[in-house]
Amino acid sequence: MENKVDAGLAIYVHWPFCRSKCPYCDFNSHVRDNVDEARWSRALTAEIAHTAARLESPRRRATSIFFGGGTPSLMPPSVAAAVIDAIARHFTLADDAEITLEANPTSAEAGSFRGFRDAGVNRLSLGVQALNDTDLRALGREHSAAEALAALDAAQTVFPRASFDLIYARPGQTLNDWRGELKQALALAGTGAGAGHLSLYQLTFEQGTPFFQARRRGAIQPLDDDVAADMFDLTQDMCEAAGLPAYEISNHAAPGRECRHNLNYWRYGEYAGIGPGAHGRLRLQGALCAVKAHRSPEKWLAAVESKGHGGEPPARLDQRTRAEEALMMGLRLREGVGAERFEAATGVPLRTCLPASARQDLIEGGFLAPGADGLRATAKGRNVLDAVLGELAASLQIPAEVPVVS
Amino acid sequence: MAETRAAKADAGGSDLGRIRNFAIIAHIDHGKSTLADRLIEMCGGLESREMKAQVLDTMDIERERGITIKAQTVRLTYTATNGETYHLNLMDTPGHVDFAYEVSRSLAACEGSILLVDASQGVEAQTLANVYQAIDANHEIIIALNKIDLPAAEPERIRQQIEDVVGLDASEAIPISAKTGAGVADLLDALVQRLPAPTGRRDAPAKALLVDSWYDPYLGVVVLVRVHDGVLRKGMRIRMMAAGSVHTVERVGIFSPKTTQTEELGPGEIGFVTASIKEVADTHVGDTITDDRNPAAEALTGFQPSVPVVFCGLFPADSADFNELRESLARLRLNDSSFHFETESSPALGFGFRCGFLGLLHLEIIQERLEREFNLNLVTTAPSVVYRLRMTDGTETELHNPVDYPDVTKIARVQEPWIKATVMVPDEYLGAVLKLCEDRRGIQLDLTYSGSRAVVQYRLPLNEVVFDFYDRLKSVSRGYASFDYHLDGYEDGQLVKVSILVNSEPVDALSLIVHRERAEARGRAICERLKKLIPRQLFKIPIQAAIGGKVIARETISAMRKDVTAKCYGGDVSRKRKLLDKQKRGKKRMRTFGKVDIPQEAFIAALRLGEE
C-alpha cells in the first residue's frame, strides 16, 4: 500500500432501533421503550476512534458514510452530527464524501430532515415500500401512501440527493398492479433536482420473520416464481426506458447517480462497520479480515464501554473466500467484476482461477459475458445469479494455501 | 418334581408315546405369541419373573411387527390329567408367505397343528395358505378360538366361517383366551389326547430333518432338528446329505425355552445341534442329517434349495457408508442364508448391492434391520422379479436386474414368473379389489363367499405384485383385505425394458421391465414424478421414457428464471456466504447427467413413491 494512493474506505453506521418491527424484516433491528441517546452517541464515536486506530495507516481516507438500521431517522440529528464529526476527526473525510441516511417516511421523521442535512447528511434513502395503503398495511408499515409522498417531496427538496425503496412481488400483486405502481414510482424518482435513484426489491421470506412463519402455515401465498420473474423483467425494461437502468440487481439510477457507498461493497472495496451487528472488511496486518460486531444492542454497548469496541476478533479471509466474495458481490453489478480489482483483492488473476474453459457452459447459455477486463453477468444471468454463483464457486481453481502461523 | 422326572426321561432315552410335536398356525395379531407365552408359563418353562411378552420372538423387529422370522422351538413338560408327563414340542413357525418353504419344513417336523383364530376377526388369507400346508403335511388340526374374553368375540360365527372357508369340522373347536389363560388347560389336554405321537426307530441309522439354523455369538451356528430315526449325540460325525458336508457334533440339547444340553436327541424329538459349522450358509433348510459312519439309505423327501424370487438394489444414501453396508449385509447373512447380495454400481446412486430375497416381506425385513440395527440410511431401487430370457442362439439366461437387459434383437422370448394369489376381503371392497387385480393383468380363478367376506383367487404376474400391490390393496380395501400367494410357474410375456433418460442420459436405477401395454403409462408416470422432484436448473432438462430408441413419454423441466438474493444489505457478505456454502454442500450430493446436476434426493423420492 506504501506507493499507492489510499483508495479510501466506506463507513457503515448501524442504528438498531425501530418504532415497530416490520413482519418481513430480518435485519438487526430492535424495539426499545427508552434509548439513552447520549450514551449511544458516546459509544458510536468511541468505536469510530477504535476502528481508526487499529488500521495500518493513520487517518485513512473515508469516502462515504451510510447510516442504516433499524431506523436511523429516529436518531436525533445531534447524534448523526457527533458521528460525522468523529469520523472527520479520526479519518480524512473526503470533501465529496457521500453521507446517506435511511429514513422512514412518517411526518415526524420528515420533520428532522433539515436537522440531518445540517449535520452533514447529503443523501436520503426513504423506505416507501409501496404506493397504496392496503399493501402498506399488509407490509406492517406505520405510514400511509400520502405521508410517504409528502416525505419524498420534502426529502427531494431538502437533500442534494434522494432515493426511495419499494418492495414488489407482494402476495396477491399482479403484473398489471406492479406496472401501474412502477410507472408512478418512476415519475417520482425521475423528477426533482435530487432524484435519479430507485431501489426495487422483490419480497423475500427470511427465516425468523413473521412472514416466513405465515408462509409456512399457508397464511401467505408467495407469488409464483414465473410471475415474479416476469415482474423482474418488466422492472428492468421500464426502468431502462425511463433512464434509470439497473446498475445492480435491485438498484436503478440515472448515470452518475449510483449510491457510491453501496458500489464500494459490490466492488469489494474496504469498509468499516460501526454499531451493533455491523460488518466490515478491513485490511489489518497485511491481510483482508472480516470484522463483525455483537448483534445485541445491549451487549454491544457494554462491550464498547468496557473495551472501546463491540466487535468479535477479526477473522482473516483466505484466498478462496476472498475470490468467492469478490464474485458474489461483483457479479451483482451490471459492470461485473473488474479483473484488476479482483486480483488486488484476492492476489490471483481472475483468468487463472476461473479460466474460460471452466465457465464455457455458462457463457454459451447466455448467463455470463466474458471481457478482456473482467467478467460480467448478463441480464439473464443476474436473474439467476445465486445458481450461477453456485456453479462458479464449484469450478474456482484456487491453489491450497499454506496456513500462516503468526 | 416335573423337572426331575423330565430329566430322568431324558437320561433314560425318549419314549415316543409321551412326545407331541405341534405348530401353531395363526394370522398376525391373532395371538400366537401370547398363546406360546401362556403355554410356557403353564408348563413351568420359565419363572414368571423371566417371562416377558412374546418370549419366542427374540428379535426386536419380530416383537414389534408381531411376525416370526426364524423358526423357534420350545419343549414344554406337561403333566396331563391322566397323571402322565409329556414332552410337548412347540414349533413356532415363520408366519409369512415369503417363508413358505421354511414353514413347510417346520410343519414337516410336527404331527399336528393348533389353528388359532381370533374369535372376532376370523380366518385370513395367510392363515388359509398355512392351514392347507398343514393339511398337506397330514397334520391333525386342533382349532382354538382365541380372544373370547373380548366383547367383540363371536365364536359361533367364526366356527361357521372356519367350516365354510377352510372346510374343517369346527365342532370340537376350543374357546380360549391366551391373554387370561381361560381354556388353555383344555387345549393342552387336547394336544395330548388328539395329536398322534411321533413314530421312528431308535435302532435305525440316524435321520433328522434340518428345520432351521441361526448364528449364536456364543455357540456358533445352531441347527434346529427333528429326529426321525436313530439318535444324535455329542462326538458323533454327522453328514448333511444334500450339502454333502460332514461335521462333528459338539452339543445336543433342547430349548425349555432356555438352552439346555442333553445327552442325546432320539426319535420324535425336536432339539438343537452344534457342530462347529462356520456359517449359516453351510446349512440348508430341509436337508437331512445322518450318521456319517452309518448313513441312512435315503434322505427325507422335499428338499429344495432356497432361491431368491425378488431382487432390488440397496444403496447407502451416503456413499461414505458403502463399506459399513457391506459389513452389515455380511453380518445379516450370518443368520439368514436365504438372501443374496453382490456389488452393483449405478451412476445415479453410486456404489451399492444387488440383493435377492425370498419375497417382498423378506426384502422389507432386511431393509428395516439394516436401517435399525445397523443405523444405515438406505436407498432401495424398485423391486424386480427374475425373468427368464430365451436367446435367439437357443441359450437361456436369468435376468435379475433390468440394467442387464440384453440387446432386444438377441432375445427370442421373455418369460416372467406368475403367482396364484388368494385375497380375502369384505364384500363392500370386493369391486375395488377385483379392479386392482384386473389392472394388474390378473386372471380370476375363483370367487366364493363366506358370510359377507369374499375369497378371491387370481393368477397374477409377480412383477405386477412387487410393484406397490400390497399398498394399493391396503388402500382400496381400507386395510381389510388379506393377501397370500405362492409361485405358479413361468410364462411368456410381452415384456419390454423401459429406460428413463434425464438430459438424454439413461438413469439405470429407474429403468424397469414392464408389460408392453403398461409401458407407456408407467413411463409417463415416472417422467411426471421426476419433473415434480427435480428442481429447475439453469438449463432446461428433458426427461424421457424410452423403449430401445423409441421415446414413449416426454416431459421437460423448464430452466429456472429467477434465483437471486434481492437485497444484499449493509456489507453483510456472511449472509450471502451461507447461501453459497449451502449450495456447495448441496452440489456434493448431486449426480451429474450431462451438464445438469440432480439432487440424489430426487431419485430417492422417485423410487420411494408409489404409483400415485
Side-chain angles (χ1 to χ4, degrees), chain B residues 243-549:
Chain B
S245 57
V246 175
H247 306 272
T248 303
V249 174
E250 289 177 335
R251 300 179 193 83
V252 297
I254 53 117
F255 299 98
S256 70
K258 290 178 283 191
T259 310
T260 310
Q261 286 196 50
T262 58
E263 291 292 314
E264 56 167 53
L265 288 173
E269 289 196 299
I270 294 174
F272 71 86
V273 172
T274 68
S276 55
I277 301 168
K278 279 206 193 74
E279 287 180 28
V280 168
D282 296 335
T283 64
H284 303 281
V285 170
D287 205 345
T288 302
I289 297 172
T290 190
D291 185 345
D292 187 44
R293 296 204 180 85
N294 179 21
E298 275 179 20
L300 296 161
T301 54
F303 173 74
Q304 287 174 16
S306 102
V307 179
V309 170
V310 174
F311 283 80
C312 76
L314 291 179
F315 292 84
D318 182 346
S319 58
D321 289 341
F322 174 76
N323 277 323
E324 217 182 318
L325 175 58
R326 187 214 309 269
E327 283 162 23
S328 306
L329 284 166
R331 279 172 63 188
L332 281 186
R333 198 173 144 76
L334 271 183
N335 224 349
D336 181 354
S337 55
S338 54
F339 83 94
H340 300 251
F341 64 95
E342 59 187 48
T343 314
E344 177 181 13
S345 80
S346 144
L349 301 171
F351 282 99
F353 297 92
R354 191 75 190 165
C355 303
F357 305 91
L358 296 176
L360 274 179
L361 179 88
H362 191 210
L363 182 162
E364 258 179 58
I365 288 168
I366 297 284
Q367 187 190 353
E368 205 173 318
R369 289 188 64 187
L370 287 167
E371 296 199 337
R372 192 183 311 193
E373 293 170 32
F374 299 95
N375 209 9
L376 287 165
N377 193 3
L378 295 178
V379 180
T380 312
T381 64
S384 134
V385 303
V386 178
Y387 297 95
R388 288 187 187 151
L389 306 181
R390 180 74 50 84
M391 311 305 285
T392 46
D393 64 5
T395 58
E396 196 170 300
T397 58
E398 282 197 346
L399 182 72
H400 293 175
N401 189 342
V403 174
D404 301 328
Y405 200 78
D407 184 349
V408 278
T409 59
K410 292 180 180 154
I411 302 173
R413 274 164 41 199
V414 184
Q415 290 196 313
E416 63 177 328
W418 283 66
I419 59 164
K420 196 180 266 183
T422 305
V423 181
M424 295 188 66
V425 63
D427 59 2
E428 60 203 288
Y429 306 116
L430 178 64
V433 168
L434 294 180
K435 180 170 186 309
L436 176 66
C437 292
E438 296 292 330
D439 286 349
R440 299 302 173 92
R441 298 192 277 137
I443 297 162
Q444 200 183 100
L445 300 176
D446 194 20
L447 172 57
T448 54
Y449 275 92
S450 157
S452 63
R453 279 171 76 85
V455 182
V456 206
Q457 290 208 313
Y458 261 92
R459 281 195 89 225
L460 284 156
L462 182 60
N463 87 345
E464 299 285 350
V465 174
V466 298
F467 178 68
D468 85 341
F469 184 84
Y470 288 160
D471 291 343
R472 299 287 307 138
L473 185 66
K474 257 188 267 168
S475 123
V476 302
S477 71
R478 296 186 185 271
Y480 282 103
S482 63
F483 170 79
D484 196 21
Y485 73 88
H486 60 261
L487 290 173
D488 194 32
Y490 272 77
E491 275 182 26
D492 283 2
Q494 290 291 311
L495 297 162
V496 291
K497 179 189 175 185
V498 175
S499 308
I500 303 297
L501 298 98
V502 172
N503 206 31
S504 309
E505 296 201 17
V507 183
D508 53 2
L510 295 176
S511 62
L512 64 160
I513 290 169
V514 62
H515 193 261
R516 186 174 290 281
E517 280 172 18
R518 311 245 300 147
E520 196 187 321
R522 287 279 296 276
R524 171 150 298 126
I526 294 175
C527 290
E528 283 169 2
R529 193 187 301 162
L530 278 175
K531 185 183 176 178
K532 283 187 202 134
L533 290 168
I534 297 177
R536 289 165 83 172
Q537 311 220 355
L538 287 173
F539 302 95
K540 73 175 180 195
I541 309 169
I543 300 173
Q544 297 157 310
I547 300 173

Side-chain angles (χ1 to χ4, degrees), chain A residues 26 69 102 202 226 230 233 249-250 265 271 279 281 321 324-325 332 367 383-387 391, chain B residues 536 538-539 561-567 569-577 579 583-584 587 595:
Chain A
D26 73 330
E102 284 186 331
Q202 292 214 338
D226 284 327
D230 288 343
D233 293 345
I249 282 165
S250 306
Y265 294 144
Y271 54 94
H279 288 252
R281 287 289 180 278
T321 307
E324 286 176 0
E325 291 191 350
R332 297 183 68 83
F367 300 103
N383 258 341
V384 290
L385 188 61
D386 289 353
E391 298 294 325
Chain B
R536 289 165 83 172
L538 287 173
F539 302 95
R561 291 187 54 202
K562 190 180 149 276
D563 180 19
V564 60
T565 311
K567 192 161 186 173
Y569 190 78
D572 182 359
V573 189
S574 55
R575 180 198 299 259
K576 269 200 61 86
R577 280 209 59 79
L579 202 80
Q583 262 177 330
K584 284 197 292 190
K587 269 187 105 61
K595 56 185 173 181

Side-chain angles (χ1 to χ4, degrees), chain B residues 316-319 346-351 537 586-594 596-600 603:
Chain B
D318 182 346
S319 58
S346 144
L349 301 171
F351 282 99
Q537 311 220 355
K587 269 187 105 61
K588 281 192 188 152
R589 288 180 70 97
M590 300 267 197
R591 309 291 166 163
T592 305
F593 287 83
V596 302
D597 295 316
I598 295 175
Q600 196 186 354
F603 292 116

Side-chain angles (χ1 to χ4, degrees), chain A residues 25 52 160 186 192 243 288 301 331 340 379 382:
Chain A
C25 172
L186 284 166
L288 188 66
L301 195 61
L331 289 177
E340 214 171 295
R382 290 200 299 276

Side-chain angles (χ1 to χ4, degrees), chain B residues 117-120 145-155 174-178 180 182-183:
Chain B
V117 180
D118 184 316
S120 56
L145 302 175
N146 194 19
K147 305 194 188 180
I148 49 150
D149 55 313
L150 297 182
E154 294 178 87
I174 303 168
I176 67 161
S177 165
T180 66

